[in-house]
Amino acid sequence: MNDFVFQSPTRFVFGRDFADRVGEEVAALGAQHALLVYGGGSVVRTGLLDRVEASLDSADVTYAELAGVRPNPELGLVRKGIDLARVEKVDLVLAVGGGSVIDCSKAIAFGVPYQGDVWDFFSCKASVRECLPIACVLTIPAAGSEASASCVISNDALSLKRGTSSDAFRPRLAIMDPRLTFTLPQYQTAAGVTDIICHICERFFSSAGAVPVTDNIACGIIRAVMDAATAVTEKPDDYDARATIMWSGTLAHNDLCGCGRAAAAGKRAGGWESHGLEHEISAHHPEVAHGAGLAVILPAWMRYVWHADPTRFLAFAKGVFDVEPMDKTDEGTQDAVTYAIDELQRFFVGLGMPRALADLGLSPTDVDAWLGTLRQNKGERFGELMPLTMDDARAIYLSAF
Ligand code: NZQ
Ligand code: ZN
């Protein structure tokens, strides 16, 4: 087991109707005047926004509002939010929504105390040291941003989608009521579940070898979330299944599943190859949901690299699908690994996710543009289990059409 630092400082308030408690919870963090950030309208339609506002009112926490965060949030609104937060002199940023709203809120929270342009943090010109406190009411389990040290923002002018990382902006508070997710369209539930599984896989397929405690946690969460996803497909208001998915999303990305698997203490485990490849797709095509892109890219990446570490893939096959090779031959290994990858893809497709990039309206002629920005973001080679050249990346993209 490699050395690690694990820090998950978020206060999780998890369960029925806890959104109505957000006022007292943020007041306990010292908030008096918050910036309330939300997305394209789901929180208005579901009545959640009214509940949050009523709760803030009753706790005497005043607020300014920033609406309209789109999926794959864009830099322009972040800059607008920073200006508003400064004028209003807010002392906390409260995100009500999913990963996009939380990431927009994070970027505002660390953009406010910074003198330069917030994009500096995404172009490696600055690292986050100061940040307003962040709280969230989560409405979709997916990105894991409610507890993660990551923030991902798109810059449409440059066709770039980039992340920055720091423990400084892990949210202080996450209010998580699984009932808020009953209204999710199946497609969003499925995209979220895919992202959750991928966050675990990115860490599982690091080059650290076996770390039994972490690997068992990882495979156990994947199995639990797969069962729960199947249950909510049939019954969208299955509370326990929704709760399982919601808590899994947090544990998938708060780094619990990476303990002992990172190359160095304080680093994130894994090479994040599928995320690297997918982010170029949703950067160039913001209408593509991150999880939907991953549903295609993750199996394609697995098929391309598994032979670099068959033992690791056999551990995945056994831990998630209880499959072992029929015999110790190369063929036996290939059959077991291929079965596991095929099963994973069948599961994603069964939830309503695309099987191929063409199903997302994408074309092989788009690949050159993705490779151009991938090279800008990652250099000539990236990844860990099997470092990928740009030729490898091209081959994986093309194999996914
Ligand atoms: O905008 P509204 O109207 O609220 O609708 C949203 C949005 O269209 C809808 N939705 C959310 N909760 C709902 C709901 N609809 C009905 N009922 C509800 N309860 O769902 C849609 C997707 O929301 P979004 O926030 O975009 O989803 P997600 O949480 O998957 O976030 C995706 C973003 O997070 C980034 C992705 O790249 C993408 O930009 N990621 C962030 C990470 C992080 N910060 O740690 C890690 C991830 O790997 C990921 O890269
Ligand atoms: Zn993700």
Side-chain angles (χ1 to χ4, degrees):
M1 190 189 299
N2 294 346
D3 299 345
F4 66 91
V5 175
F6 174 55
Q7 182 177 352
S8 192
T10 308
R11 173 178 164 86
F12 301 105
V13 180
F14 191 106
R16 298 163 182 83
D17 292 337
F18 283 160
D20 300 319
R21 243 206 223 180
V22 63
E24 63 187 272
E25 288 284 343
V26 297
L29 291 174
Q32 295 182 328
H33 187 50
L35 180 66
L36 174 54
V37 183
Y38 54 94
S42 72
V43 297
V44 179
R45 289 192 297 279
T46 61
L48 176 62
L49 188 66
D50 286 344
R51 289 170 61 193
V52 167
E53 289 176 351
S55 178
L56 292 171
D57 290 343
S58 68
D60 290 328
V61 178
T62 55
Y63 49 87
E65 288 193 26
L66 181 72
V69 180
R70 72 165 204 211
N72 301 314
E74 215 274 324
L75 181 62
L77 196 71
V78 173
R79 289 187 177 133
K80 194 175 157 197
I82 292 169
D83 290 343
L84 180 61
R86 284 179 179 153
V87 169
E88 291 279 337
K89 295 188 174 44
V90 303
D91 49 20
L92 177 138
V93 184
L94 173 59
V96 183
S100 296
V101 172
I102 301 171
D103 282 4
C104 182
S105 301
K106 285 177 171 176
I108 293 168
F110 57 70
V112 166
Y114 179 63
Q115 296 309 308
D117 179 41
V118 68
W119 187 249
D120 290 353
F121 293 110
F122 299 89
S123 50
C124 302
K125 289 191 188 141
S127 46
V128 176
R129 301 199 192 292
E130 279 181 275
C131 185
L132 290 174
I134 300 153
C136 64
V137 180
L138 185 67
T139 62
I140 170 172
S145 189
E146 67 277 9
S148 79
S150 303
C151 171
V152 184
I153 296 295
S154 293
N155 181 333
D156 284 358
L158 302 179
S159 290
L160 290 177
K161 180 176 182 182
R162 284 200 169 160
T164 186
S165 294
S166 169
D167 285 324
F169 56 71
R170 287 189 196 257
R172 300 272 296 275
L173 167 73
I175 304 239
M176 301 169 66
D177 178 353
R179 288 203 286 206
L180 297 178
T181 68
F182 288 178
T183 53
L184 278 171
Q186 169 64 18
Y187 191 82
Q188 293 298 343
T189 299
V193 163
T194 306
D195 196 18
I196 290 167
I197 291 173
C198 197
H199 291 161
I200 300 173
C201 288
E202 300 279 21
R203 293 174 171 90
F204 189 90
F205 293 107
S206 78
S207 55
V211 180
V213 58
T214 298
D215 296 348
N216 277 297
I217 291 170
C219 292
I221 295 174
I222 294 177
R223 289 198 310 269
V225 85
M226 287 177 81
D227 287 348
T230 305
V232 301
T233 303
E234 282 155 26
K235 191 170 180 295
D237 60 352
D238 181 332
Y239 179 86
D240 285 329
R242 289 288 187 189
T244 298
I245 298 171
M246 196 171 223
W247 189 229
S248 297
T250 304
L251 300 181
H253 201 34
N254 75 342
D255 290 323
L256 176 70
C257 293
C259 292
R261 302 204 54 81
K267 291 245 181 276
R268 178 177 289 168
W272 289 79
E273 297 86 350
S274 297
H275 271 68
L277 293 166
E278 192 295 311
H279 276 168
E280 300 313 327
I281 297 174
S282 49
H284 287 268
H285 311 271
E287 71 284 3
V288 172
H290 171 60
L294 288 172
V296 182
I297 291 295
L298 176 64
W301 171 79
M302 287 177 154
R303 289 189 184 102
Y304 194 80
V305 304
W306 74 264
H307 55 84
D309 193 348
T311 309
R312 202 70 205 130
F313 276 86
L314 284 178
F316 179 80
K318 173 72 181 152
V320 176
F321 295 107
D322 199 20
V323 173
E324 290 180 280
M326 300 278 278
D327 53 46
K328 288 198 169 18
T329 62
D330 289 350
E331 208 180 13
T333 298
Q334 168 151 0
D335 285 350
V337 170
T338 305
Y339 175 85
I341 299 171
D342 289 350
E343 275 298 281
L344 185 66
Q345 184 159 43
R346 256 195 295 278
F347 168 74
F348 292 149
V349 172
L351 292 183
M353 288 286 93
R355 178 179 292 282
L357 292 178
D359 301 341
L360 288 164
L362 304 170
S363 150
T365 56
D366 295 323
V367 170
D368 280 338
W370 306 343
L371 290 170
T373 46
L374 183 68
R375 183 180 278 112
Q376 278 185 55
N377 285 329
K378 301 287 183 188
E380 290 302 325
R381 274 161 82 88
F382 76 104
E384 187 180 309
L385 191 92
M386 175 181 144
L388 303 175
T389 64
M390 291 302 116
D391 285 343
D392 293 324
R394 180 188 297 279
I396 294 170
Y397 282 138
L398 292 177
S399 75
F401 277 96

